[in-house]
Every structure is written in C-alpha cells, then in structure tokens.
Amino acid sequence: MKIHEYQAKTLLKEYGVPINKGILAENSDDISSAVKSLSPPYVIKAQIHSGGRGKAGGVKIANTPGEAISISNDLLGKTLITKQTGPQGRIVKKLLITECVDINKEYYISIALDPGKSCIAFVASGAGGIEIEETAAKSPDSIISKNIDIKIGVRDYFLRNIASKLEIKDVSGFIRIGRGMYDLFLQKDCSMVEINPLVETTDGELIALDAKVTFDDNALFRHPDVAELCDINEIDPKEAEAQKYSLNYVALDGSVGCMVNGAGLAMATMDIINAFGGKPANFLDVGGNTTGDSVAEAFKILLSDSKVKVIFVNIFGGIVKCDIIANGIVNAIKSYKSSCEMVDVPIVVRLVGNNSKEGNEILNESGLNIISKTLMADAAKACVLLSQESLE
Ligand code: GDP
Ligand code: MN
C-alpha cells in the first residue's frame, strides 16, 4: 500500500526524522490559511501517488504569499503526467504547502527489501534529487547498498560508515535519521522507506524534503492505523472494489477479462492469452474460500470495465466448487442486466474439476451468451478471436 508524501513525512517525524514545516491544502480556503501561517518562500507540492513530480511541474517554488496562492490554485485540480503515472496522468486533489529550505546538498537514502539477497538493504547516494534514476543507470557505482543483518539491526557504526562515504558532516543527525527509518520500517511492516532528497541545508542541518513509504499489504491487518492512511482516490476504483471483497485483482491494459481461481492458474491464463496474441485486461484470483457473492462481485468488476471485450472464466474446481462459481456468474449477469441492460460481452468458460458437470449445466440452462470449452488452449484461442473481432 502506498501513502502520500505528507503522510510519509508525518510518520517519519514520529520516528525522529526532521522535516520542514508544511500544511495540507484541499481547497482554496485551505490554501489561503496555509500560506498565512507559513513564512515565504514556499514550495507547493502536488500530493499524488507518484514520484517524478518535480520534472512534471508538480513541485513549484513561490516567493511571495500572492504567488503561492495563485500557483496553488492553478495546480489543484490539474492532471499531472509523470514518468510513473502513465499517459492518463493523475488529478491533483491535495497539495502540501511547505516552507522552502535553502539546500546545500541533496542525498538519497532508503531502506527496502532486497528480494535477490532475501534481506533488508540500506541504499544511499551522494547524488540525490530528481536525477537519481539516471544516476543509478549511468553510474551504479555511486550508489551504496549495504545489507542489514536482521539479528543486529542498524547500529551506529553501520550508519557512521555510510555517513563517511557520503561525506556527511552531521554524523549524529544522520545516525538519528537512519535509526528512525529502520524502526519505522520494522515496526510498521514497510516494504520501503525512502527519503529523496535528504538535504543538508545551508545552516548544516539534515532535513527530509521528500519521502516515500510503502507497506506490505499482507501485514496491514496488524496496523489498522496504517490501513486508515489509504487514499481511495489514488487507487483504481475497480481495485478498491475488489479489496472490499478480498479478491486479488490487478487492473491491466488488455481486452480479455479473466476470472480464475488460484494465483498460479491466473498467471498461466494471462500467459496463454498472450501466447495466442491477445492481452489480458486484469489479473484476478477469486481464491479458495470464494462464495457465490464474491464471485458475483468479481464478475461485476469485470463487466464494469469498458476495455473488456470478452470474459474468460477459467476455473479448476478443487476447494472451490464449479457450481458455486457458475451460480455466482449467472446471478451477477442477471443483476447487472436488470440495472444496466447491456451485457453483450461474450463469456468463454472452462470449468473442470469438482462439480464441473453441475456447473456447466447451470450455465447451459441460464440462456446466457456462454461458450463452454474443456481445454484451456481452446478457450484462450476463442477469447482472443472474440476480443479481436470486437475491435474491428
Ligand atoms: P519528486 O520530483 O516527486 O521526487 O518531488 P520532490 O519533493 O523530491 O521535489 C523535487 C525537487 O524539488 C527536489 O529534489 C528539490 O531539488 C526541489 N525542492 C523540493 N523542496 C524544496 C525546498 O524546500 N527548497 C528547494 N530549494 N528545493 C526544493
Ligand atoms: Mn523526490
């Protein structure tokens, strides 16, 4: 789960990391009062779940209160297209207005999981700021990466060593920041805690000017305070809906909607669609303890996606029985049809395994536009053909 910069900075502050003064604004009244209670110059920062805002015009410096107010009102409501948002961009619904800091030097520091080495790594660079990706690509040697031994944790000598490589003067300040980041990472089950840039001000202070904190979704149940930080505006509405029903759903760009049980079969289904020249519209694993209701919800999410030209239901009945799935599908289509009158998306179904006979009977008797296949390859081929026909 991702959170906004202002939330990440608030968390870091709780863990002893210095940040610059800033106020969140969501409308023009907020903007005026924020500007009034801060001292110029200001930095106006778009709060969207994306990096690269600076280069996209989402981070702006204003010298006077008047300028800050007009820049802020301009930025609020704008669509920002960054390297990470994709061409559709993101609408700016929140701003962080901060007091501008005079920068002497920008550093990059982060704590993240290194899946290759199965450990946590501390990553740092003396070339922080908006060019960090380019630095990492062009001169990887300038990036320091040190593994953290989970049994030892982050000790002073470990951080002193990094501070000396970065030629940081305020070593004790750096140690406090590094320890705070690590404590946050462990205590809140983060997958990443990043400060970029960490700046040395012209007064020699170390301050986190920008921060990104992401959390392991699987551990959110242990942190209701963290789960509350989720900004529903920033996630795909289809993914938000799927979360409510504990469905593992990821929206993708293609036109074949997929409803599958089991993550492995879901991956294989996406692969086989690709192999026949099609593109999946989503990843969806309805899971093992699915009920008719959650199948129906899953199906409605697929139907609500206008990119979906055909739906591929690929179920291997084991723990989940095929007749439960079939009933869920029929109910979903019936309730959807009465509300929208427009289910003309063809549905290709492959039900095998537990209660597949009953499941297929339910589908055949439903009178719906359903194509049944026994082999996965045949079903995938049919889906790709149907998705292409509807494009023409
Ligand atoms: P990002 O582009 O999304 O990573 O947004 P950042 O918050 O990192 O801002 C981009 C850049 O704006 C930073 O790397 C800084 O160079 C600059 N910046 C941000 N805040 C300040 C500030 O208070 N003072 C100055 N002088 N520059 C700032
Ligand atoms: Mn940044």
Side-chain angles (χ1 to χ4, degrees), residues 1 85 114 121 136 151 187 213 280 295:
M1 188 189 99
T85 59
D114 181 342
K151 294 192 292 299
Q187 287 172 22
V213 175
V295 169

Side-chain angles (χ1 to χ4, degrees), residues 6 18 31 36 46 59 89 91 126 163 177 192 259 280 289 311 332 335 369:
Y6 77 92
I31 291 172
K36 232 180 256 164
V59 177
I91 300 173
I177 292 170
M192 159 123 126
M259 185 163 111
N289 40 18
I311 293 176
S335 71
N369 179 12

Side-chain angles (χ1 to χ4, degrees), residues 2-321:
K2 293 179 184 174
I3 58 173
H4 288 294
E5 173 197 0
Y6 77 92
Q7 297 167 315
K9 279 174 153 175
T10 307
L11 268 176
L12 280 165
K13 193 180 169 194
E14 285 169 24
Y15 282 83
V17 177
I19 57 169
N20 55 334
K21 205 171 163 196
I23 297 173
L24 186 73
E26 297 183 57
N27 54 50
S28 47
D29 287 348
D30 290 355
I31 291 172
S32 304
S33 69
V35 168
K36 232 180 256 164
S37 42
L38 298 168
S39 323
Y42 313 89
V43 184
I44 314 341
K45 314 185 76 179
Q47 298 298 290
I48 54 170
H49 285 185
S50 166
R53 296 164 304 164
K55 283 188 177 172
V59 177
K60 291 199 161 136
I61 293 182
N63 290 308
T64 64
E67 207 186 332
I69 289 173
S70 91
I71 290 177
S72 300
N73 282 311
D74 263 6
L75 193 53
L76 202 61
K78 229 182 163 175
T79 300
L80 210 60
I81 302 170
T82 72
K83 266 201 306 211
Q84 295 174 9
T85 59
Q88 78 283 3
R90 280 267 160 76
I91 300 173
V92 179
K93 295 189 172 157
K94 291 182 171 126
L95 298 175
L96 177 64
I97 305 179
T98 68
E99 289 184 351
C100 185
V101 169
D102 287 331
I103 301 175
N104 203 19
K105 195 164 168 23
E106 295 186 294
Y107 302 94
Y108 172 94
I109 51 173
S110 71
I111 296 179
L113 286 169
D114 181 342
K117 294 190 183 128
S118 310
C119 69
I120 303 170
F122 197 106
V123 182
S125 168
I130 56 177
E131 301 291 345
I132 189 69
E133 276 95 358
E134 286 76 2
T135 306
K138 278 190 212 136
S139 46
D141 293 345
S142 68
I143 311 265
I144 304 160
S145 177
K146 279 169 77 83
N147 299 336
I148 298 169
D149 185 327
I150 193 83
K151 294 192 292 299
I152 296 172
V154 166
R155 296 276 174 94
D156 288 8
Y157 69 86
F158 179 95
L159 292 164
R160 206 173 288 124
N161 179 282
I162 294 171
S164 113
K165 284 188 180 144
L166 296 177
E167 296 175 13
I168 282 175
K169 292 184 210 88
D170 180 8
V171 177
S172 60
F174 184 76
I175 289 173
R176 206 174 326 117
I177 292 170
R179 282 183 166 255
M181 288 169 75
Y182 186 66
D183 289 344
L184 167 63
F185 186 93
L186 282 193
Q187 287 172 22
K188 302 285 183 191
D189 287 305
C190 297
S191 44
M192 159 123 126
V193 175
E194 178 188 81
I195 301 178
N196 183 37
L198 171 74
V199 299
E200 184 192 85
T201 66
T202 44
D203 299 333
E205 266 180 284
L206 288 175
I207 291 183
L209 269 202
D210 183 20
K212 177 176 171 184
V213 175
T214 58
F215 303 90
D216 181 347
D217 292 343
N218 296 310
L220 279 179
F221 74 96
R222 300 206 288 207
H223 308 286
D225 55 327
V226 170
E228 245 170 51
L229 299 178
C230 175
D231 182 351
I232 208 100
N233 282 321
E234 292 289 322
I235 42 183
D236 187 305
K238 299 191 292 302
E239 290 181 10
E241 196 61 21
Q243 256 178 30
K244 278 197 233 158
Y245 296 92
S246 309
L247 299 161
N248 298 309
Y249 173 90
V250 181
L252 298 167
D253 289 334
S255 55
V256 182
C258 305
M259 185 163 111
V260 191
N261 69 321
L265 187 59
M267 299 294 277
T269 304
M270 290 159 57
D271 279 351
I272 201 164
I273 291 167
N274 268 307
F276 287 117
K279 289 264 173 280
N282 66 282
F283 169 93
L284 171 62
D285 165 18
V286 296
N289 40 18
T290 324
T291 62
D293 286 349
S294 58
V295 169
E297 288 310 321
F299 214 76
K300 281 186 209 162
I301 292 170
L302 299 185
L303 288 171
S304 72
D305 185 348
S306 61
K307 293 194 307 297
V308 169
K309 303 300 173 205
V310 54
I311 293 176
F312 184 3
V313 178
N314 191 10
I315 299 292
F316 184 76
I319 297 169
V320 56
K321 297 186 179 78

